Amino acid sequence: MIDLEQLSLTNPLLTHEHTLEPLWGSDTGRNSNNGTYSGTFVGYFSQLRLEFGSTNQTQMTYLRSLFDNPVISVRYLDSEDGNWYTEDFYGTAINGKKDNWDGKYEPFNLTLTAIRKRNK
């Protein structure tokens, strides 16, 4: 499990943003005849946007070992009630961009989306 509070103690995790994103089914859209919007509402899914500062090679290797996985469990501060919450997300790629061969990796962002809908 990735604990964002603990991760921030040893890695440059600058911010984290939690939102509940609505997801609609494939039958969703606006009717061109009368302009109404209809479709199947699937539910709200947590989304985390993590902002990291510059990292050295050791930090980048560690972060990749955590986030370069198909499904990851993350403990984060929930924006709904301000409590710590643990949820499963699908992993994402990390863009390891360097501006010179021996420098640090440039700051980057990750967006994680939950694999299960939230009960609302």
Side-chain angles (χ1 to χ4, degrees):
M1 177 188 63
I2 301 169
D3 184 320
L4 294 185
E5 185 177 27
Q6 291 299 313
L7 183 67
S8 69
L9 299 177
T10 56
N11 292 273
L13 176 58
L14 304 177
T15 64
H16 91 280
E17 176 183 353
H18 171 251
T19 58
L20 290 173
E21 291 291 330
L23 179 66
W24 292 84
S26 60
D27 64 341
T28 303
R30 189 161 307 279
N31 185 318
S32 61
N33 292 334
N34 60 14
T36 60
Y37 190 82
S38 64
T40 304
F41 180 69
V42 176
Y44 286 99
F45 289 75
S46 287
Q47 194 167 74
L48 293 177
R49 185 168 184 270
L50 309 178
E51 180 183 7
F52 289 90
S54 296
T55 56
N56 60 35
Q57 185 60 58
T58 301
Q59 291 168 323
M60 177 59 79
T61 300
Y62 179 67
L63 291 172
R64 290 194 66 132
S65 75
L66 295 176
F67 291 101
D68 284 350
N69 292 290
V71 176
I72 53 179
S73 183
V74 180
R75 179 178 175 263
Y76 65 92
L77 197 56
D78 191 335
S79 65
E80 262 195 321
D81 59 15
N83 293 318
W84 288 95
Y85 191 75
T86 301
E87 197 167 1
D88 291 335
F89 295 84
Y90 57 84
T92 186
I94 292 177
N95 184 8
K97 182 177 180 182
K98 276 191 168 185
D99 57 359
N100 59 54
W101 294 115
D102 57 355
K104 288 188 171 190
Y105 288 94
E106 292 186 7
F108 62 93
N109 297 317
L110 297 178
T111 301
L112 306 173
T113 303
I115 61 173
R116 290 181 193 86
K117 68 180 178 178
R118 289 286 292 263
N119 294 327
K120 281 191 72 76

mmCIF file of all heavy atoms in Angstrom, residues 4-50:
data_model
loop_
_atom_site.group_PDB
_atom_site.id
_atom_site.type_symbol
_atom_site.label_atom_id
_atom_site.label_comp_id
_atom_site.label_asym_id
_atom_site.label_seq_id
_atom_site.Cartn_x
_atom_site.Cartn_y
_atom_site.Cartn_z
ATOM 1 N N LEU A 4 0.320 8.123 1.242
ATOM 2 C CA LEU A 4 0.798 9.420 0.752
ATOM 3 C C LEU A 4 1.430 10.259 1.851
ATOM 4 O O LEU A 4 2.385 11.001 1.605
ATOM 5 C CB LEU A 4 -0.331 10.194 0.078
ATOM 6 C CG LEU A 4 -0.877 9.596 -1.213
ATOM 7 C CD1 LEU A 4 -1.898 10.537 -1.839
ATOM 8 C CD2 LEU A 4 0.239 9.284 -2.201
ATOM 9 N N GLU A 5 0.933 10.130 3.074
ATOM 10 C CA GLU A 5 1.517 10.878 4.186
ATOM 11 C C GLU A 5 2.953 10.419 4.430
ATOM 12 O O GLU A 5 3.866 11.237 4.543
ATOM 13 C CB GLU A 5 0.672 10.690 5.438
ATOM 14 C CG GLU A 5 1.121 11.519 6.615
ATOM 15 C CD GLU A 5 0.205 11.362 7.807
ATOM 16 O OE1 GLU A 5 -0.455 10.315 7.956
ATOM 17 O OE2 GLU A 5 0.156 12.320 8.609
ATOM 18 N N GLN A 6 3.183 9.120 4.473
ATOM 19 C CA GLN A 6 4.524 8.581 4.683
ATOM 20 C C GLN A 6 5.426 8.847 3.468
ATOM 21 O O GLN A 6 6.603 9.166 3.623
ATOM 22 C CB GLN A 6 4.456 7.077 4.957
ATOM 23 C CG GLN A 6 3.827 6.728 6.283
ATOM 24 C CD GLN A 6 4.605 7.306 7.449
ATOM 25 O OE1 GLN A 6 5.825 7.189 7.513
ATOM 26 N NE2 GLN A 6 3.901 7.953 8.364
ATOM 27 N N LEU A 7 4.863 8.713 2.273
ATOM 28 C CA LEU A 7 5.632 8.946 1.054
ATOM 29 C C LEU A 7 6.185 10.365 1.006
ATOM 30 O O LEU A 7 7.308 10.595 0.570
ATOM 31 C CB LEU A 7 4.753 8.669 -0.172
ATOM 32 C CG LEU A 7 5.422 8.794 -1.529
ATOM 33 C CD1 LEU A 7 6.471 7.698 -1.706
ATOM 34 C CD2 LEU A 7 4.383 8.714 -2.631
ATOM 35 N N SER A 8 5.403 11.322 1.488
ATOM 36 C CA SER A 8 5.815 12.726 1.433
ATOM 37 C C SER A 8 6.986 13.033 2.365
ATOM 38 O O SER A 8 7.634 14.066 2.212
ATOM 39 C CB SER A 8 4.634 13.633 1.775
ATOM 40 O OG SER A 8 4.295 13.502 3.149
ATOM 41 N N LEU A 9 7.280 12.140 3.311
ATOM 42 C CA LEU A 9 8.387 12.375 4.237
ATOM 43 C C LEU A 9 9.748 12.149 3.588
ATOM 44 O O LEU A 9 10.744 12.738 4.016
ATOM 45 C CB LEU A 9 8.247 11.470 5.465
ATOM 46 C CG LEU A 9 6.986 11.676 6.308
ATOM 47 C CD1 LEU A 9 6.940 10.655 7.445
ATOM 48 C CD2 LEU A 9 6.890 13.099 6.838
ATOM 49 N N THR A 10 9.803 11.312 2.551
ATOM 50 C CA THR A 10 11.088 10.973 1.930
ATOM 51 C C THR A 10 11.151 11.282 0.441
ATOM 52 O O THR A 10 12.188 11.075 -0.185
ATOM 53 C CB THR A 10 11.387 9.474 2.126
ATOM 54 O OG1 THR A 10 10.299 8.718 1.589
ATOM 55 C CG2 THR A 10 11.580 9.143 3.597
ATOM 56 N N ASN A 11 10.044 11.736 -0.124
ATOM 57 C CA ASN A 11 9.983 12.037 -1.556
ATOM 58 C C ASN A 11 9.287 13.382 -1.758
ATOM 59 O O ASN A 11 8.460 13.777 -0.938
ATOM 60 C CB ASN A 11 9.227 10.938 -2.302
ATOM 61 C CG ASN A 11 9.999 9.644 -2.298
ATOM 62 O OD1 ASN A 11 10.830 9.424 -3.155
ATOM 63 N ND2 ASN A 11 9.747 8.802 -1.305
ATOM 64 N N PRO A 12 9.602 14.075 -2.849
ATOM 65 C CA PRO A 12 9.049 15.421 -3.047
ATOM 66 C C PRO A 12 7.593 15.421 -3.543
ATOM 67 O O PRO A 12 7.294 15.905 -4.625
ATOM 68 C CB PRO A 12 10.001 16.027 -4.078
ATOM 69 C CG PRO A 12 10.463 14.860 -4.880
ATOM 70 C CD PRO A 12 10.560 13.723 -3.899
ATOM 71 N N LEU A 13 6.680 14.853 -2.747
ATOM 72 C CA LEU A 13 5.250 14.923 -3.057
ATOM 73 C C LEU A 13 4.773 16.300 -2.616
ATOM 74 O O LEU A 13 4.676 16.586 -1.420
ATOM 75 C CB LEU A 13 4.486 13.817 -2.338
ATOM 76 C CG LEU A 13 2.969 13.823 -2.488
ATOM 77 C CD1 LEU A 13 2.559 13.748 -3.953
ATOM 78 C CD2 LEU A 13 2.352 12.681 -1.710
ATOM 79 N N LEU A 14 4.521 17.174 -3.572
ATOM 80 C CA LEU A 14 4.199 18.566 -3.270
ATOM 81 C C LEU A 14 2.730 18.756 -2.921
ATOM 82 O O LEU A 14 2.395 19.441 -1.959
ATOM 83 C CB LEU A 14 4.579 19.456 -4.456
ATOM 84 C CG LEU A 14 6.036 19.369 -4.916
ATOM 85 C CD1 LEU A 14 6.250 20.238 -6.143
ATOM 86 C CD2 LEU A 14 6.980 19.742 -3.793
ATOM 87 N N THR A 15 1.846 18.187 -3.740
ATOM 88 C CA THR A 15 0.404 18.326 -3.494
ATOM 89 C C THR A 15 -0.299 17.041 -3.900
ATOM 90 O O THR A 15 0.220 16.253 -4.698
ATOM 91 C CB THR A 15 -0.226 19.479 -4.308
ATOM 92 O OG1 THR A 15 -0.115 19.194 -5.696
ATOM 93 C CG2 THR A 15 0.422 20.814 -3.993
ATOM 94 N N HIS A 16 -1.480 16.870 -3.343
ATOM 95 C CA HIS A 16 -2.362 15.823 -3.854
ATOM 96 C C HIS A 16 -3.776 16.372 -3.847
ATOM 97 O O HIS A 16 -4.172 17.108 -2.950
ATOM 98 C CB HIS A 16 -2.210 14.508 -3.082
ATOM 99 C CG HIS A 16 -3.105 14.320 -1.920
ATOM 100 N ND1 HIS A 16 -2.867 14.887 -0.699
ATOM 101 C CD2 HIS A 16 -4.238 13.609 -1.790
ATOM 102 C CE1 HIS A 16 -3.820 14.538 0.137
ATOM 103 N NE2 HIS A 16 -4.665 13.765 -0.498
ATOM 104 N N GLU A 17 -4.483 16.064 -4.903
ATOM 105 C CA GLU A 17 -5.827 16.580 -5.102
ATOM 106 C C GLU A 17 -6.769 15.394 -5.285
ATOM 107 O O GLU A 17 -6.519 14.515 -6.107
ATOM 108 C CB GLU A 17 -5.843 17.465 -6.349
ATOM 109 C CG GLU A 17 -7.188 17.999 -6.726
ATOM 110 C CD GLU A 17 -7.132 18.812 -8.017
ATOM 111 O OE1 GLU A 17 -6.032 19.069 -8.549
ATOM 112 O OE2 GLU A 17 -8.209 19.177 -8.495
ATOM 113 N N HIS A 18 -7.847 15.368 -4.507
ATOM 114 C CA HIS A 18 -8.835 14.291 -4.604
ATOM 115 C C HIS A 18 -10.145 14.852 -5.140
ATOM 116 O O HIS A 18 -10.638 15.870 -4.662
ATOM 117 C CB HIS A 18 -9.082 13.664 -3.222
ATOM 118 C CG HIS A 18 -10.229 12.716 -3.212
ATOM 119 N ND1 HIS A 18 -11.416 12.999 -2.586
ATOM 120 C CD2 HIS A 18 -10.384 11.492 -3.770
ATOM 121 C CE1 HIS A 18 -12.251 11.980 -2.745
ATOM 122 N NE2 HIS A 18 -11.650 11.062 -3.466
ATOM 123 N N THR A 19 -10.684 14.206 -6.162
ATOM 124 C CA THR A 19 -11.998 14.572 -6.700
ATOM 125 C C THR A 19 -12.811 13.298 -6.887
ATOM 126 O O THR A 19 -12.267 12.199 -6.966
ATOM 127 C CB THR A 19 -11.897 15.297 -8.060
ATOM 128 O OG1 THR A 19 -11.217 14.451 -8.986
ATOM 129 C CG2 THR A 19 -11.173 16.607 -7.938
ATOM 130 N N LEU A 20 -14.114 13.468 -6.945
ATOM 131 C CA LEU A 20 -15.016 12.372 -7.293
ATOM 132 C C LEU A 20 -15.533 12.658 -8.700
ATOM 133 O O LEU A 20 -16.315 13.579 -8.913
ATOM 134 C CB LEU A 20 -16.171 12.264 -6.298
ATOM 135 C CG LEU A 20 -15.777 11.767 -4.917
ATOM 136 C CD1 LEU A 20 -16.959 11.846 -3.957
ATOM 137 C CD2 LEU A 20 -15.257 10.343 -4.983
ATOM 138 N N GLU A 21 -15.050 11.887 -9.656
ATOM 139 C CA GLU A 21 -15.378 12.101 -11.061
ATOM 140 C C GLU A 21 -16.574 11.243 -11.463
ATOM 141 O O GLU A 21 -16.596 10.042 -11.197
ATOM 142 C CB GLU A 21 -14.186 11.745 -11.952
ATOM 143 C CG GLU A 21 -13.019 12.683 -11.823
ATOM 144 C CD GLU A 21 -13.293 14.054 -12.389
ATOM 145 O OE1 GLU A 21 -14.088 14.175 -13.347
ATOM 146 O OE2 GLU A 21 -12.709 15.017 -11.879
ATOM 147 N N PRO A 22 -17.577 11.842 -12.115
ATOM 148 C CA PRO A 22 -18.716 11.052 -12.597
ATOM 149 C C PRO A 22 -18.337 10.252 -13.842
ATOM 150 O O PRO A 22 -17.562 10.721 -14.667
ATOM 151 C CB PRO A 22 -19.764 12.116 -12.926
ATOM 152 C CG PRO A 22 -18.971 13.346 -13.233
ATOM 153 C CD PRO A 22 -17.725 13.271 -12.402
ATOM 154 N N LEU A 23 -18.867 9.053 -13.943
ATOM 155 C CA LEU A 23 -18.636 8.215 -15.119
ATOM 156 C C LEU A 23 -19.986 7.813 -15.700
ATOM 157 O O LEU A 23 -20.862 7.329 -14.981
ATOM 158 C CB LEU A 23 -17.831 6.965 -14.751
ATOM 159 C CG LEU A 23 -17.545 6.006 -15.911
ATOM 160 C CD1 LEU A 23 -16.617 6.661 -16.927
ATOM 161 C CD2 LEU A 23 -16.943 4.714 -15.393
ATOM 162 N N TRP A 24 -20.135 8.029 -16.998
ATOM 163 C CA TRP A 24 -21.359 7.700 -17.712
ATOM 164 C C TRP A 24 -21.096 6.535 -18.655
ATOM 165 O O TRP A 24 -19.987 6.362 -19.143
ATOM 166 C CB TRP A 24 -21.838 8.915 -18.509
ATOM 167 C CG TRP A 24 -22.300 10.032 -17.630
ATOM 168 C CD1 TRP A 24 -21.532 10.987 -17.040
ATOM 169 C CD2 TRP A 24 -23.636 10.292 -17.219
ATOM 170 N NE1 TRP A 24 -22.299 11.828 -16.294
ATOM 171 C CE2 TRP A 24 -23.603 11.431 -16.382
ATOM 172 C CE3 TRP A 24 -24.863 9.691 -17.471
ATOM 173 C CZ2 TRP A 24 -24.748 11.965 -15.804
ATOM 174 C CZ3 TRP A 24 -26.002 10.223 -16.897
ATOM 175 C CH2 TRP A 24 -25.948 11.342 -16.080
ATOM 176 N N GLY A 25 -22.128 5.758 -18.960
ATOM 177 C CA GLY A 25 -22.016 4.614 -19.852
ATOM 178 C C GLY A 25 -21.851 5.022 -21.303
ATOM 179 O O GLY A 25 -21.990 6.198 -21.677
ATOM 180 N N SER A 26 -21.600 4.034 -22.148
ATOM 181 C CA SER A 26 -21.348 4.299 -23.571
ATOM 182 C C SER A 26 -22.606 4.761 -24.308
ATOM 183 O O SER A 26 -22.518 5.280 -25.418
ATOM 184 C CB SER A 26 -20.786 3.051 -24.240
ATOM 185 O OG SER A 26 -21.707 1.981 -24.133
ATOM 186 N N ASP A 27 -23.776 4.594 -23.701
ATOM 187 C CA ASP A 27 -25.022 5.024 -24.336
ATOM 188 C C ASP A 27 -25.355 6.484 -24.028
ATOM 189 O O ASP A 27 -26.450 6.949 -24.322
ATOM 190 C CB ASP A 27 -26.184 4.134 -23.885
ATOM 191 C CG ASP A 27 -26.462 4.243 -22.391
ATOM 192 O OD1 ASP A 27 -25.572 4.703 -21.643
ATOM 193 O OD2 ASP A 27 -27.560 3.862 -21.972
ATOM 194 N N THR A 28 -24.426 7.213 -23.486
ATOM 195 C CA THR A 28 -24.667 8.573 -23.020
ATOM 196 C C THR A 28 -24.341 9.594 -24.105
ATOM 197 O O THR A 28 -23.391 9.442 -24.850
ATOM 198 C CB THR A 28 -23.813 8.850 -21.771
ATOM 199 O OG1 THR A 28 -24.134 7.874 -20.796
ATOM 200 C CG2 THR A 28 -24.065 10.227 -21.219
ATOM 201 N N GLY A 29 -25.150 10.649 -24.144
ATOM 202 C CA GLY A 29 -24.873 11.725 -25.080
ATOM 203 C C GLY A 29 -26.029 12.696 -25.175
ATOM 204 O O GLY A 29 -27.068 12.538 -24.520
ATOM 205 N N ARG A 30 -25.868 13.673 -26.004
ATOM 206 C CA ARG A 30 -26.898 14.682 -26.210
ATOM 207 C C ARG A 30 -27.676 14.332 -27.466
ATOM 208 O O ARG A 30 -27.117 14.060 -28.514
ATOM 209 C CB ARG A 30 -26.257 16.066 -26.348
ATOM 210 C CG ARG A 30 -27.278 17.177 -26.337
ATOM 211 C CD ARG A 30 -26.685 18.524 -26.025
ATOM 212 N NE ARG A 30 -25.900 18.621 -24.817
ATOM 213 C CZ ARG A 30 -26.401 18.772 -23.594
ATOM 214 N NH1 ARG A 30 -27.709 18.806 -23.426
ATOM 215 N NH2 ARG A 30 -25.614 18.888 -22.557
ATOM 216 N N ASN A 31 -28.986 14.326 -27.351
ATOM 217 C CA ASN A 31 -29.867 14.032 -28.470
ATOM 218 C C ASN A 31 -29.851 15.224 -29.414
ATOM 219 O O ASN A 31 -30.170 16.345 -29.033
ATOM 220 C CB ASN A 31 -31.290 13.761 -27.953
ATOM 221 C CG ASN A 31 -32.231 13.332 -29.047
ATOM 222 O OD1 ASN A 31 -32.211 13.890 -30.137
ATOM 223 N ND2 ASN A 31 -33.058 12.363 -28.747
ATOM 224 N N SER A 32 -29.491 14.991 -30.661
ATOM 225 C CA SER A 32 -29.379 16.097 -31.617
ATOM 226 C C SER A 32 -30.734 16.659 -32.034
ATOM 227 O O SER A 32 -30.804 17.779 -32.531
ATOM 228 C CB SER A 32 -28.594 15.656 -32.854
ATOM 229 O OG SER A 32 -29.266 14.600 -33.497
ATOM 230 N N ASN A 33 -31.815 15.903 -31.828
ATOM 231 C CA ASN A 33 -33.136 16.407 -32.220
ATOM 232 C C ASN A 33 -33.692 17.428 -31.237
ATOM 233 O O ASN A 33 -34.272 18.428 -31.639
ATOM 234 C CB ASN A 33 -34.134 15.248 -32.356
ATOM 235 C CG ASN A 33 -33.782 14.361 -33.519
ATOM 236 O OD1 ASN A 33 -33.158 14.808 -34.469
ATOM 237 N ND2 ASN A 33 -34.161 13.094 -33.440
ATOM 238 N N ASN A 34 -33.538 17.166 -29.934
ATOM 239 C CA ASN A 34 -34.137 18.084 -28.966
ATOM 240 C C ASN A 34 -33.136 18.633 -27.943
ATOM 241 O O ASN A 34 -33.513 19.392 -27.058
ATOM 242 C CB ASN A 34 -35.311 17.427 -28.244
ATOM 243 C CG ASN A 34 -34.902 16.189 -27.476
ATOM 244 O OD1 ASN A 34 -33.728 15.956 -27.267
ATOM 245 N ND2 ASN A 34 -35.883 15.407 -27.066
ATOM 246 N N GLY A 35 -31.890 18.239 -28.016
ATOM 247 C CA GLY A 35 -30.860 18.795 -27.139
ATOM 248 C C GLY A 35 -30.822 18.207 -25.735
ATOM 249 O O GLY A 35 -30.073 18.691 -24.903
ATOM 250 N N THR A 36 -31.618 17.183 -25.463
ATOM 251 C CA THR A 36 -31.598 16.594 -24.116
ATOM 252 C C THR A 36 -30.388 15.679 -23.947
ATOM 253 O O THR A 36 -29.873 15.117 -24.907
ATOM 254 C CB THR A 36 -32.888 15.797 -23.835
ATOM 255 O OG1 THR A 36 -32.996 14.757 -24.805
ATOM 256 C CG2 THR A 36 -34.110 16.684 -23.867
ATOM 257 N N TYR A 37 -29.960 15.545 -22.702
ATOM 258 C CA TYR A 37 -28.813 14.709 -22.354
ATOM 259 C C TYR A 37 -29.341 13.481 -21.628
ATOM 260 O O TYR A 37 -30.108 13.600 -20.666
ATOM 261 C CB TYR A 37 -27.865 15.500 -21.443
ATOM 262 C CG TYR A 37 -26.543 14.838 -21.200
ATOM 263 C CD1 TYR A 37 -25.516 14.941 -22.120
ATOM 264 C CD2 TYR A 37 -26.306 14.117 -20.034
ATOM 265 C CE1 TYR A 37 -24.287 14.356 -21.901
ATOM 266 C CE2 TYR A 37 -25.076 13.527 -19.807
ATOM 267 C CZ TYR A 37 -24.075 13.653 -20.740
ATOM 268 O OH TYR A 37 -22.862 13.067 -20.516
ATOM 269 N N SER A 38 -28.951 12.306 -22.070
ATOM 270 C CA SER A 38 -29.437 11.090 -21.413
ATOM 271 C C SER A 38 -28.371 10.007 -21.493
ATOM 272 O O SER A 38 -27.407 10.112 -22.250
ATOM 273 C CB SER A 38 -30.728 10.603 -22.068
ATOM 274 O OG SER A 38 -30.479 10.228 -23.417
ATOM 275 N N GLY A 39 -28.560 8.978 -20.707
ATOM 276 C CA GLY A 39 -27.640 7.861 -20.705
ATOM 277 C C GLY A 39 -27.613 7.180 -19.360
ATOM 278 O O GLY A 39 -28.344 7.541 -18.439
ATOM 279 N N THR A 40 -26.765 6.211 -19.228
ATOM 280 C CA THR A 40 -26.647 5.440 -18.002
ATOM 281 C C THR A 40 -25.533 6.017 -17.138
ATOM 282 O O THR A 40 -24.381 6.086 -17.576
ATOM 283 C CB THR A 40 -26.329 3.967 -18.319
ATOM 284 O OG1 THR A 40 -27.335 3.463 -19.189
ATOM 285 C CG2 THR A 40 -26.253 3.136 -17.066
ATOM 286 N N PHE A 41 -25.891 6.426 -15.923
ATOM 287 C CA PHE A 41 -24.904 6.918 -14.982
ATOM 288 C C PHE A 41 -24.298 5.723 -14.258
ATOM 289 O O PHE A 41 -24.992 4.946 -13.613
ATOM 290 C CB PHE A 41 -25.534 7.882 -13.975
ATOM 291 C CG PHE A 41 -24.559 8.434 -12.982
ATOM 292 C CD1 PHE A 41 -23.582 9.320 -13.385
ATOM 293 C CD2 PHE A 41 -24.616 8.054 -11.655
ATOM 294 C CE1 PHE A 41 -22.660 9.831 -12.478
ATOM 295 C CE2 PHE A 41 -23.706 8.559 -10.745
ATOM 296 C CZ PHE A 41 -22.736 9.446 -11.153
ATOM 297 N N VAL A 42 -22.986 5.549 -14.377
ATOM 298 C CA VAL A 42 -22.298 4.410 -13.777
ATOM 299 C C VAL A 42 -22.002 4.676 -12.305
ATOM 300 O O VAL A 42 -22.194 3.819 -11.457
ATOM 301 C CB VAL A 42 -20.997 4.097 -14.550
ATOM 302 C CG1 VAL A 42 -20.227 2.973 -13.887
ATOM 303 C CG2 VAL A 42 -21.313 3.753 -15.996
ATOM 304 N N GLY A 43 -21.511 5.875 -11.983
ATOM 305 C CA GLY A 43 -21.203 6.218 -10.598
ATOM 306 C C GLY A 43 -20.075 7.223 -10.505
ATOM 307 O O GLY A 43 -19.562 7.705 -11.514
ATOM 308 N N TYR A 44 -19.715 7.541 -9.252
ATOM 309 C CA TYR A 44 -18.597 8.440 -8.988
ATOM 310 C C TYR A 44 -17.364 7.615 -8.658
ATOM 311 O O TYR A 44 -17.431 6.666 -7.873
ATOM 312 C CB TYR A 44 -18.905 9.365 -7.808
ATOM 313 C CG TYR A 44 -19.887 10.441 -8.137
ATOM 314 C CD1 TYR A 44 -21.226 10.321 -7.796
ATOM 315 C CD2 TYR A 44 -19.480 11.599 -8.796
ATOM 316 C CE1 TYR A 44 -22.134 11.320 -8.095
ATOM 317 C CE2 TYR A 44 -20.381 12.601 -9.102
ATOM 318 C CZ TYR A 44 -21.710 12.459 -8.743
ATOM 319 O OH TYR A 44 -22.600 13.442 -9.051
ATOM 320 N N PHE A 45 -16.239 7.985 -9.255
ATOM 321 C CA PHE A 45 -14.978 7.298 -9.044
ATOM 322 C C PHE A 45 -13.952 8.295 -8.523
ATOM 323 O O PHE A 45 -13.820 9.395 -9.067
ATOM 324 C CB PHE A 45 -14.466 6.672 -10.347
ATOM 325 C CG PHE A 45 -15.267 5.492 -10.795
ATOM 326 C CD1 PHE A 45 -16.522 5.656 -11.362
ATOM 327 C CD2 PHE A 45 -14.779 4.215 -10.633
ATOM 328 C CE1 PHE A 45 -17.273 4.564 -11.764
ATOM 329 C CE2 PHE A 45 -15.519 3.111 -11.026
ATOM 330 C CZ PHE A 45 -16.768 3.285 -11.595
ATOM 331 N N SER A 46 -13.248 7.915 -7.464
ATOM 332 C CA SER A 46 -12.202 8.789 -6.930
ATOM 333 C C SER A 46 -11.097 8.964 -7.957
ATOM 334 O O SER A 46 -10.742 8.029 -8.677
ATOM 335 C CB SER A 46 -11.591 8.190 -5.663
ATOM 336 O OG SER A 46 -12.478 8.299 -4.591
ATOM 337 N N GLN A 47 -10.576 10.167 -7.991
ATOM 338 C CA GLN A 47 -9.428 10.450 -8.826
ATOM 339 C C GLN A 47 -8.431 11.244 -7.991
ATOM 340 O O GLN A 47 -8.811 12.182 -7.291
ATOM 341 C CB GLN A 47 -9.836 11.230 -10.074
ATOM 342 C CG GLN A 47 -8.754 11.267 -11.122
ATOM 343 C CD GLN A 47 -9.299 11.778 -12.452
ATOM 344 O OE1 GLN A 47 -9.550 12.953 -12.583
ATOM 345 N NE2 GLN A 47 -9.467 10.884 -13.402
ATOM 346 N N LEU A 48 -7.178 10.828 -8.035
ATOM 347 C CA LEU A 48 -6.108 11.523 -7.335
ATOM 348 C C LEU A 48 -5.158 12.122 -8.344
ATOM 349 O O LEU A 48 -4.755 11.464 -9.299
ATOM 350 C CB LEU A 48 -5.309 10.555 -6.453
ATOM 351 C CG LEU A 48 -6.011 9.941 -5.264
ATOM 352 C CD1 LEU A 48 -5.084 8.956 -4.565
ATOM 353 C CD2 LEU A 48 -6.463 11.012 -4.289
ATOM 354 N N ARG A 49 -4.812 13.367 -8.133
ATOM 355 C CA ARG A 49 -3.790 14.025 -8.949
ATOM 356 C C ARG A 49 -2.641 14.348 -8.010
ATOM 357 O O ARG A 49 -2.801 15.123 -7.063
ATOM 358 C CB ARG A 49 -4.324 15.288 -9.602
ATOM 359 C CG ARG A 49 -3.318 15.917 -10.555
ATOM 360 C CD ARG A 49 -3.981 16.994 -11.416
ATOM 361 N NE ARG A 49 -3.052 17.504 -12.375
ATOM 362 C CZ ARG A 49 -2.250 18.556 -12.152
ATOM 363 N NH1 ARG A 49 -2.292 19.184 -11.007
ATOM 364 N NH2 ARG A 49 -1.416 18.968 -13.097
ATOM 365 N N LEU A 50 -1.497 13.728 -8.250
ATOM 366 C CA LEU A 50 -0.320 13.893 -7.406
ATOM 367 C C LEU A 50 0.711 14.736 -8.128
ATOM 368 O O LEU A 50 0.994 14.508 -9.306
ATOM 369 C CB LEU A 50 0.285 12.528 -7.063
ATOM 370 C CG LEU A 50 -0.669 11.485 -6.497
ATOM 371 C CD1 LEU A 50 0.060 10.176 -6.267
ATOM 372 C CD2 LEU A 50 -1.327 11.978 -5.230
#
